[in-house]
Amino acid sequence: MLEKDLKAAWAIYLNIDQKFCLMKRKGSRFERELIEELWENGFAAVRVAGSGASHFPCPDIVAGDGSAFFAFEVKMRKNLPLYLSSEEIKKLQEFSKAFGASGYIALKLPREKWRFFRIEDLKKTPKGFRIDEDVYAMGKDFHDLKGIIQTRLPYHDQKGFYGSRNE
Amino acid sequence: MLEKDLKAAWAIYLNIDQKFCLMKRKGSRFERELIEELWENGFAAVRVAGSGASHFPCPDIVAGDGSAFFAFEVKMRKNLPLYLSSEEIKKLQEFSKAFGASGYIALKLPREKWRFFRIEDLKKTPKGFRIDEDVYAMGKDFHDLKGIIQTRLPYHDQKGFYGSRNE
């Protein structure tokens, strides 16, 4: 049997379409590249399993370096602007708050290095958020992330604390 | 084509055997159950994608509640003792140190609640570590995990700090 036929049959069996699979694979490849670069830059980083499927809010990547913790939603685009739904930003915020991480959008454009964007720096649109040229110009790089010192409140104060937690 | 044939053909194509798949699936189910319970107990938790395959050290689950961070290696067994290789404990330690988490073994026995074990509390064996009845009796529960206050050194001190980081 041809490999192609087998793949197609398997996709039908799983009730998913191949285009979706291809998108997922491509997304995973970029996520793995970011994981590599995070480790190279001194962060321990993991890809989250089933980040699109879980009924709990969860990001694509979680990383930490012992002093700061990050939750990344990973995006790759051919060009700007990048549009983000209110829903996905809300989930990233919810997870970040519950975990104790800073939520960031990680964006890869062709022939550009990874750039990282805080939720506060995104531009609001009627249906969600946008990263345009202006926002992109303010994106952080790995060096900026390493400089972030996450301040932490004493335990009991922190439990009731729901503001922005770092930077 | 029968579902069974398709699965077998796919497994051969992927060069993996079905028993391994079944183990992985069963392991994943327990990991998802632990994720559920962690959220119920106030921790944001994620399953790590490809935790067995990555060339970076990575645990099965990463969790945090804003004040403490945990890396779990998840195990389910029919009975004690549980044996752990030096290699997997070393990887858990490496990840935990780099991320800034406390490394724990999460163990599920039939009709028992989840118990959590610090690496320091495991018994050394010639080839690795063991959780026997004595160690099991000292296992922590969710309530104990919630009581853990992770102390953090100031940023610059912490960068050169390689000791036990909490409790």
Side-chain angles (χ1 to χ4, degrees):
Chain A
M1 197 191 324
L2 288 175
E3 178 183 315
K4 202 184 64 175
D5 297 340
L6 189 55
K7 275 188 184 168
W10 182 252
I12 290 161
Y13 166 64
L14 288 177
N15 197 24
I16 47 183
D17 83 63
Q18 288 191 290
K19 194 179 162 198
F20 178 73
C21 286
L22 194 67
M23 276 173 59
K24 286 294 270 187
R25 258 209 312 280
K26 208 167 178 186
S28 301
R29 180 166 67 81
F30 277 90
E31 286 173 23
R32 277 191 292 268
E33 282 178 19
L34 179 52
I35 294 279
E36 293 268 349
E37 292 198 42
L38 282 163
W39 280 96
E40 282 164 17
N41 282 279
F43 294 96
V46 294
R47 275 206 319 129
V48 174
S51 58
S54 172
H55 61 280
F56 297 112
C58 68
D60 296 317
I61 287 178
V62 175
D65 71 350
S67 62
F69 301 91
F70 298 95
F72 295 107
E73 194 69 24
V74 180
K75 301 287 174 186
M76 44 107 186
R77 285 294 183 277
K78 290 226 171 103
N79 39 46
L80 294 173
L82 162 67
Y83 291 97
L84 298 143
S85 71
S86 297
E87 183 66 12
E88 64 187 326
I89 295 300
K90 193 174 149 233
K91 282 187 176 175
L92 180 60
Q93 275 176 319
E94 280 174 4
F95 176 85
S96 302
K97 192 188 288 174
F99 187 90
S102 303
Y104 274 80
I105 306 297
L107 174 59
K108 181 77 179 73
L109 293 182
R111 292 171 305 281
E112 297 284 339
K113 291 189 186 301
W114 285 96
R115 293 274 184 104
F116 307 102
F117 304 88
R118 296 189 308 177
I119 295 167
E120 308 89 279
D121 293 336
L122 307 178
K123 276 196 190 158
K124 191 86 191 75
T125 68
K127 286 186 177 177
F129 297 88
R130 187 179 65 200
I131 295 176
D132 58 15
E133 300 287 350
D134 295 348
V135 175
Y136 191 76
M138 297 195 307
K140 294 179 191 294
D141 60 16
F142 286 106
H143 184 79
D144 297 324
L145 291 190
K146 283 163 77 92
I148 291 170
I149 300 164
Q150 202 154 356
T151 54
R152 289 152 65 88
L153 295 174
Y155 187 69
H156 292 289
D157 291 358
Q158 198 172 38
K159 283 292 168 183
F161 175 75
Y162 286 105
S164 155
R165 52 187 311 135
N166 69 319
E167 277 118 289
Chain B
M1 198 193 319
L2 288 175
E3 179 182 316
K4 201 185 65 179
D5 297 340
L6 189 55
K7 275 187 184 167
W10 182 252
I12 290 160
Y13 166 64
L14 288 177
N15 198 22
I16 48 184
D17 82 61
Q18 288 190 291
K19 194 179 162 198
F20 178 72
C21 285
L22 194 67
M23 277 171 59
K24 285 295 269 188
R25 259 210 311 280
K26 208 168 177 186
S28 300
R29 181 166 68 82
F30 276 91
E31 286 173 22
R32 277 190 294 267
E33 281 178 19
L34 179 53
I35 293 280
E36 293 268 349
E37 292 199 43
L38 282 164
W39 279 96
E40 282 164 16
N41 282 280
F43 294 96
V46 295
R47 278 209 314 131
V48 174
S51 58
S54 172
H55 61 279
F56 297 112
C58 68
D60 296 318
I61 287 177
V62 175
D65 71 350
S67 60
F69 301 91
F70 298 94
F72 295 107
E73 194 70 23
V74 180
K75 300 288 173 185
M76 43 109 188
R77 285 292 183 278
K78 291 227 170 103
N79 40 45
L80 295 173
L82 162 68
Y83 291 97
L84 298 144
S85 72
S86 297
E87 183 66 13
E88 62 187 329
I89 295 300
K90 193 173 149 237
K91 282 187 177 174
L92 180 61
Q93 276 176 319
E94 280 174 3
F95 176 85
S96 302
K97 192 188 290 176
F99 187 91
S102 302
Y104 274 80
I105 305 297
L107 173 59
K108 181 76 179 74
L109 292 182
R111 294 172 303 280
E112 296 285 338
K113 292 189 186 301
W114 285 96
R115 293 277 184 102
F116 307 102
F117 304 88
R118 297 189 308 178
I119 296 166
E120 308 89 279
D121 294 336
L122 307 178
K123 276 195 191 159
K124 192 86 193 75
T125 69
K127 286 188 179 175
F129 296 88
R130 188 178 66 199
I131 295 176
D132 58 16
E133 300 286 349
D134 295 348
V135 176
Y136 190 76
M138 296 195 307
K140 295 181 191 293
D141 60 16
F142 285 106
H143 184 80
D144 298 323
L145 291 190
K146 284 163 74 93
I148 290 169
I149 300 164
Q150 203 155 354
T151 54
R152 290 151 66 88
L153 295 175
Y155 186 70
H156 293 289
D157 290 358
Q158 197 172 38
K159 284 292 169 182
F161 176 75
Y162 287 105
S164 155
R165 54 184 312 132
N166 70 320
E167 281 119 287

